[in-house]
Amino acid sequence: MLPKIEFNKNKVSTINCFKDQEVIDAVHKKGLPKAYLPKVEETYGKVIFPITAGDYPYSFASIALSMDGKMAYPNRPEGVLVAKSNTLNENGALTDFYVLNFLRAYADVVINGTKTLVSEPNMWMTVYDDDLIAERHEYLGKRRGAPL
């Protein structure tokens, strides 16, 4: 059985620093109006990915960097270390991991670089939240509980 984490909606809500609603609306119009995850809308905002023209996929990323834009721990390459070291926001690491999870819930495939595979050999490429898995099936029509 894969590991599970419950992401409490009160602990993983975010505040946007900048939001261009006109651009967001334009992107949403290019997608399916009901193809979004309600839990994500409640905690982060509505995320609807556009339908691509033809058979070409698109990619998106979740990148966490230190305050100065560099990886803060060159001798410890694990990706979670920057988020775990957030002393100003006790839920910062959980929220960062939640965003990564809901992006996985939207994804068909997850691609990792070789450095990530070397530095985190025990990483699970799964969606850890049962709510997101259920919504992935119901609202996005995904058959599998996690991306490939």
Side-chain angles (χ1 to χ4, degrees):
M1 174 160 258
L2 296 173
K4 298 291 179 193
I5 296 173
E6 180 184 347
F7 293 100
N8 182 314
K9 293 176 188 178
N10 297 323
K11 292 186 177 183
V12 295
S13 294
T14 59
I15 299 170
N16 290 315
C17 296
F18 173 77
K19 187 175 182 178
D20 190 331
Q21 195 60 49
E22 189 176 315
V23 171
I24 292 169
D25 290 342
V27 171
H28 286 181
K29 284 181 185 175
K30 294 178 182 178
L32 298 173
K34 296 195 185 279
Y36 65 91
L37 304 175
K39 183 172 185 175
V40 175
E41 179 185 26
E42 218 176 305
T43 55
Y44 185 83
K46 189 182 282 188
V47 175
I48 297 177
F49 288 100
I51 298 170
T52 58
D55 295 329
Y56 299 102
Y58 56 90
S59 59
F60 51 89
S62 176
I63 301 168
L65 298 173
S66 64
M67 192 79 141
D68 60 1
K70 298 178 184 175
M71 289 309 294
Y73 306 99
N75 296 331
R76 305 250 338 255
E78 314 84 276
V80 298
L81 203 52
V82 171
K84 277 186 176 178
S85 301
N86 185 347
T87 58
L88 299 177
N89 179 352
E90 65 183 41
N91 294 319
L94 182 66
T95 302
D96 177 60
F97 194 53
Y98 170 68
V99 170
L100 182 68
N101 268 264
F102 82 63
L103 289 176
R104 287 178 184 173
Y106 276 99
D108 294 319
V109 176
V110 174
I111 300 171
N112 285 303
T114 54
K115 287 206 176 224
T116 299
L117 295 173
V118 169
S119 65
E120 299 186 46
N122 297 319
M123 180 186 340
W124 289 82
M125 265 321 109
T126 187
V127 178
Y128 289 86
D129 183 288
D130 284 332
D131 295 336
L132 293 175
I133 292 170
E135 290 181 2
R136 173 181 165 85
H137 294 302
E138 184 177 349
Y139 294 94
L140 304 179
K142 309 280 187 186
R143 287 180 272 172
R144 297 173 38 101
L148 296 172

